[in-house]
Amino acid sequence: DSGVTQTPKHLITATGQRVTLRCSPRSGDLSVYWYQQSLDQGLQFLIQYYNGEERAKGNILERFSAQQFPDLHSELNLSSLELGDSALYFCASSGGLGPEQYFGPGTRLTVT
Amino acid sequence: AQSVTQPDIHITVSEGASLELRCNYSYGATPYLFWYVQSPGQGLQLLLKYFSGDTLVQGIKGFEAEFKRSQSSFNLRKPSVHGSDAAEYFCAVGPEGYNTDKLSFGTGTRLQVFP
């Protein structure tokens, strides 16, 4: 158990809908990262937050947004969902002596 | 820009055989290097990390990796593979850029173990 929690574990929704994925980092970690993992794209970095502020941005679509709250949990919002958004979404956190990231179990999103 | 290459997409070994997974990196300074393992339907678990010092690092589950600056490599090894080692393995390097701990991940190597 990495100490990073993600909810929900599974999510099935229809095209055009909006969903919110939630992540709680390890205790004391200030950085949260979001990744998308799909068969054709592999592991793609989406965005990083550090202590409530956006720190780095990757291949995140404009339909996607994220935020980190004062209690350091983070949410990833996906809107106007398309079939191609079906993937595993991982959250990771870091904040110790080095940049190693600790991953949550992921949320599997299925868009039908 | 930093990058990681894992040349082997898929590797098959017999149980009890030795294993080496290759990782080559491109990085402008002394890198931080990592190996992660992902079992089916699971998140990524940190196997080991290299920051500095001894170039041979030990990790969990009997894995080790050797940092070779001259070859820009950080290969993962295990002397005797178990069936439970079947998984996908990712090499990562970082941090990328200023003011971020963002890592760059390789595309992964899928390990299949035959009994």
Side-chain angles (χ1 to χ4, degrees), chain B residues 22-39:
Chain B
R22 296 184 290 165
C23 171
N24 294 99
Y25 68 89
S26 172
Y27 194 77
T30 301
Y32 290 174
L33 292 158
F34 309 88
W35 275 99
Y36 287 84
V37 61
Q38 183 181 23
S39 298

Side-chain angles (χ1 to χ4, degrees), chain B residues 2 16 20-21 25 27 45 59 70 73 88 96 98 106 109 113:
Chain B
Q2 67 190 55
E20 182 167 27
L21 302 182
Y25 68 89
Y27 194 77
Q45 181 183 22
S70 61
S73 69
E88 187 143 21
E96 175 178 326
Y98 177 75
T109 297
V113 181

Side-chain angles (χ1 to χ4, degrees), chain B residues 62-98:
Chain B
F63 285 93
E64 66 179 26
E66 187 171 12
F67 171 61
K68 292 185 177 179
R69 185 187 300 275
S70 61
Q71 299 177 20
S72 297
S73 69
F74 188 58
N75 294 349
L76 182 71
R77 301 195 295 246
K78 187 169 185 178
S80 177
V81 170
H82 299 143
S84 58
D85 294 323
E88 187 143 21
Y89 292 80
F90 293 90
C91 181
V93 64
E96 175 178 326
Y98 177 75

